[in-house]
Amino acid sequence: MKYGRTYNFSAGPATMPEPVLEEIRDEMMNYRGSGMCVMEMSHRSKVFQQIIDEAEADLRELMNIPDNYKVLFIQGGATLQFAMIPMNLMKNGKAVYIETGAWSKKAIAEAKKYGEVIVAASSKDKNYSYIPDCSDLDIPEDTDYVYICENETIHGVTWPKLPNTKGHILVSDQSSMFLSKPCNVADYGMIYGGVQKNIGPAGLAIVIIREDLIREDLDPKTPIYMSYKTHADAGSMYNTPNCWAIYVCGKVFKYLK
Ligand SMILES: Cc1ncc(COP(=O)(O)O)c(C=O)c1O
């Protein structure tokens, strides 16, 4: 082993590809002649704009993301999305959640603050050890979306087949499976994940959302920062983004390509 590194099977932040770490090391003191580390540079600089643009373009290529989907880089990890999803997508105030483990449970608890949450299927009876049959769910017509955690990191269950949403929008937490297998983005209204399991440093979430789901008519008390429109309109730079994490994610996308 070149660096005497630990085999890290932790469910938290995961191993990064060594060539990526080496590249970052080489660019640490002077990123491509800019005279700065990416940590030090303005997010409004041309150099950083190129970093974020390339990261998005490479992710779009890797996942074959259709043009009518936005890619957003949002701070707050996956956990902030537990609140942003109901705040933005609950138009009728109603959503169906499938309870398959610790992470969908947390998302359910948060969504209940914003509207009616229908838990249409659950595997709680067997300590979240399986994915319930979701081929014929009872989904009210005015349901805004169906929510799943596609890979339950703690309970260790993954969906072999997506649920039948009966034409409703599917929202999926892909935090611990992001980019691990082919994914047909058009099957979803929104895919998101905290990046620290499969892509980069913690604290950043990547949100892939169909454009028509980005609304303006949110509850006026919704914090500006919690609106997807804010991030979409500002190219993920409404405030100072997590430039370092975006830079590292971009490197991993290039490595995967
Ligand atoms: C499936 C899943 N969803 C959400 C989270 C929460 O992510 P974060 O720590 O980025 O808020 C995690 C793990 O931390 C997770 O494994």
Side-chain angles (χ1 to χ4, degrees):
M1 231 192 301
K2 201 163 154 196
Y3 299 103
R5 285 163 48 80
T6 298
Y7 287 104
N8 175 9
F9 295 106
S10 163
T15 303
M16 294 282 294
E18 279 181 14
V20 167
L21 294 178
E22 285 170 337
E23 244 183 79
I24 292 168
R25 176 199 60 200
D26 294 345
E27 291 175 350
M28 184 68 75
M29 302 310 287
N30 185 349
Y31 176 79
R32 300 190 184 173
S34 66
M36 290 182 192
C37 171
V38 175
M39 265 185 252
E40 302 170 300
M41 66 180 56
S42 166
H43 55 297
R44 308 280 175 211
S45 64
K46 274 198 187 125
V47 184
F48 184 72
Q49 189 63 53
Q50 194 184 347
I51 290 173
I52 193 170
D53 288 347
E54 268 185 39
E56 176 175 340
D58 288 336
L59 179 63
R60 283 188 176 278
E61 194 183 323
L62 278 169
M63 290 182 75
N64 203 10
I65 300 173
D67 289 345
N68 63 327
Y69 284 73
K70 289 272 186 204
V71 174
L72 309 175
F73 298 96
I74 305 179
Q75 296 170 65
T79 300
L80 194 72
Q81 296 309 310
F82 296 164
M84 281 183 76
I85 290 163
M87 278 177 152
N88 285 267
L89 303 185
M90 269 191 182
K91 211 171 169 180
N92 301 320
K94 195 179 283 185
V96 162
Y97 278 67
I98 313 300
E99 188 188 35
T100 48
W103 294 110
S104 48
K105 240 172 104 171
K106 281 197 166 174
I108 289 168
E110 191 76 327
K112 279 182 175 169
K113 295 181 189 169
Y114 303 99
E116 187 186 341
V117 170
I118 298 158
V119 178
S122 170
S123 55
K124 195 177 175 185
D125 60 339
K126 291 194 176 141
N127 192 29
Y128 306 115
S129 57
Y130 68 104
I131 297 292
D133 176 11
C134 291
S135 56
D136 188 18
L137 297 169
D138 206 358
I139 304 175
E141 215 25 68
D142 59 347
T143 297
D144 289 312
Y145 60 90
V146 175
Y147 180 101
I148 62 169
C149 175
E150 210 168 326
N151 193 68
E152 285 278 6
T153 321
I154 293 176
H155 285 89
V157 278
T158 197
W159 287 68
K161 188 172 163 238
L162 294 178
N164 177 2
T165 65
K166 301 186 171 164
H168 292 86
I169 290 153
L170 180 63
V171 176
S172 174
D173 176 357
Q174 290 199 349
S175 294
S176 52
M177 57 176 288
F178 220 106
L179 292 169
S180 64
K181 62 176 189 180
C183 162
N184 184 23
V185 175
D187 288 343
Y188 304 78
M190 175 176 151
I191 296 169
Y192 78 97
V195 302
Q196 69 273 25
K197 315 269 189 251
N198 287 21
I199 319 169
L204 180 72
I206 293 180
V207 170
I208 302 164
I209 182 168
R210 222 174 63 203
E211 266 167 4
D212 59 292
L213 301 177
I214 299 175
R215 291 166 51 210
E216 251 175 292
D217 58 333
L218 302 183
D219 179 331
K221 285 212 179 102
T222 308
I224 292 170
Y225 203 75
M226 302 288 275
S227 154
Y228 289 129
K229 190 165 186 328
T230 300
H231 298 277
D233 287 354
S236 297
M237 284 207 251
Y238 174 73
N239 69 337
T240 318
N242 187 340
C243 299
W244 180 254
I246 294 166
Y247 160 71
V248 176
C249 289
K251 291 255 175 248
V252 173
F253 299 151
K254 287 227 187 291
Y255 169 81
L256 289 174
K257 267 173 69 181

